[in-house]
Amino acid sequence: MAVETADERLLLLKDFGVTANWSRGSVVGIFDSYYSDDDIGGGTAFAMSQPRFLCQTSDIVGLSNGDELEVGSVDYYVRVTMPDGNGMTELALELK
């Protein structure tokens, strides 16, 4: 059971969302590209970008892994779709 209501999720997208484009139109979601500092062992560490896009599941019906998504004039491939079961889906992205 979701903590927030569908109306609250829409307000979140309205306040913090950006428009992204894909082959079937546009979708509003929250884009984030944080860096993760990973240690691969042997005293070697590296940072990598992990771009994500959070949107309403109903807005991306038909979107599949491998599809393209343009966010802020930057093209990405959708690598993983992660629906939360409460009406929102997080997309793991990779630069095209």
Side-chain angles (χ1 to χ4, degrees):
M1 179 170 164
V3 174
E4 71 280 342
T5 66
D7 288 338
E8 290 170 329
R9 288 190 294 269
L10 286 175
L11 284 173
L12 180 73
L13 293 175
K14 181 180 176 188
D15 288 346
F16 300 104
V18 298
T19 300
N21 298 302
W22 63 302
S23 62
R24 296 187 185 194
S26 61
V27 57
V28 174
I30 297 172
F31 177 77
D32 186 28
S33 185
Y34 63 92
Y35 281 86
S36 170
D37 182 14
D38 296 322
D39 183 356
I40 59 172
T44 304
F46 69 96
M48 64 183 227
S49 173
Q50 297 182 344
R52 301 278 196 259
F53 190 78
L54 179 69
C55 59
Q56 290 189 99
T57 304
S58 61
D59 290 342
I60 55 167
V61 173
L63 183 128
S64 301
N65 294 344
D67 285 353
E68 296 177 20
L69 186 74
E70 178 188 357
V71 183
S73 71
V74 178
D75 293 326
Y76 296 93
Y77 289 113
V78 174
R79 289 300 173 209
V80 181
T81 56
M82 300 171 276
D84 69 0
N86 292 307
M88 300 295 284
T89 296
E90 183 176 10
L91 306 174
L93 306 174
E94 179 183 301
L95 277 172
K96 182 176 174 186

